[in-house]
Amino acid sequence: MNTRFLREEVDAAVDALLMQQVILYPTDTVWGLGCDAELPRAVEKIYQLKNRPANKACIVLVADEHMFARYAAVVPPNLPELLATQQRPTTYVVPGSPHLAPNLLAPDGTIGLRVVLDDEFCRLVVRRLGHGLVSTSANLSGEPTPALYAEIDPALVRKADYVAYWRQDDTTRAAPSRVVRVLPDGSLEVLRD
């Protein structure tokens, strides 16, 4: 791995995010559009770019359990064990906190949070940003999810404020994350496996 290139890519992505811009980037699963999860105007721009219905929530990537707790109104008491045993990227649907942009929340007040464990680029971007990073697939609403950069609609690429070069030539396919709802008793309801 070219650590200098990685550092430059992380710096460029974070600079764009700090300017309240929308980035197109490889997530820990598929290619996505992202912005600072605390900025309603940036979140609105993502919805406009995707032609996404306003009532359809996005996922937020976080760096660790502490950041998870910032954005979750209710933190699963067994979160450390859940993270330690997860086999692939998993998004936890929990009640959202007031720190999130209000237009990120689902109509029932929940948000999907995913701790980035295995993807160095995403983990470094989120850590440097210091806020949650919106993650929604880089496609128009209703279109197929792009696992590879080459599958992204060129019109969407042109509309993003910043496009990461990191992993553009990667042909490794990844599936979207597993999505589970955390129930009041701490148990999980699988929404997408």
Side-chain angles (χ1 to χ4, degrees):
M1 174 182 32
N2 184 333
T3 55
R4 181 175 174 211
F5 179 49
L6 174 63
R7 189 175 62 248
E8 290 169 354
E9 282 292 287
V10 169
D11 289 347
V14 172
D15 287 348
L17 292 164
L18 290 173
M19 291 188 293
Q20 302 187 20
Q21 295 181 336
V22 171
I23 65 170
L24 177 64
Y25 68 108
T27 74
D28 56 339
T29 56
V30 298
W31 275 79
L33 291 168
C35 67
D36 186 322
E38 297 189 17
L39 301 174
R41 190 177 308 149
V43 171
E44 179 59 32
K45 185 171 182 179
I46 286 181
Y47 280 91
Q48 291 172 356
L49 287 176
K50 286 182 59 95
N51 294 325
R52 187 178 179 102
N55 64 348
K56 196 166 181 194
C58 292
I59 290 170
V60 175
L61 301 180
V62 296
D64 52 36
E65 294 171 38
H66 299 292
M67 195 178 285
F68 189 106
R70 176 174 174 80
Y71 298 117
V74 178
V75 177
N78 57 340
L79 183 63
E81 292 81 24
L82 292 172
L83 296 175
T85 58
Q86 78 182 28
Q87 301 295 311
R88 60 185 251 231
T90 301
T91 301
Y92 299 91
V93 177
V94 295
S97 83
H99 295 290
L100 290 162
N103 51 344
L104 263 181
L105 299 174
D108 66 357
T110 59
I111 188 68
L113 299 176
R114 184 164 75 239
V115 179
V116 180
L117 298 175
D118 297 324
D119 186 277
E120 190 167 12
F121 174 78
C122 284
R123 192 170 37 78
L124 290 172
V125 168
V126 175
R127 279 200 190 287
R128 264 238 19 243
L129 179 62
H131 286 176
L133 176 61
V134 171
S135 176
T136 181
S137 56
N139 59 307
L140 295 175
S141 191
E143 295 293 315
T145 298
L148 308 175
Y149 177 78
E151 297 172 350
I152 303 169
D153 182 334
L156 195 59
V157 173
R158 288 190 298 274
K159 290 179 183 178
D161 296 310
Y162 173 76
V163 179
Y165 291 100
W166 187 253
R167 288 191 9 225
Q168 280 190 10
D169 57 353
D170 188 351
T171 57
T172 306
R173 290 193 170 274
S177 72
R178 180 175 186 244
V179 180
V180 296
R181 180 182 306 278
V182 181
L183 300 175
D185 67 358
S187 64
L188 303 178
E189 174 191 0
V190 177
L191 303 178
R192 180 178 74 198
D193 205 5

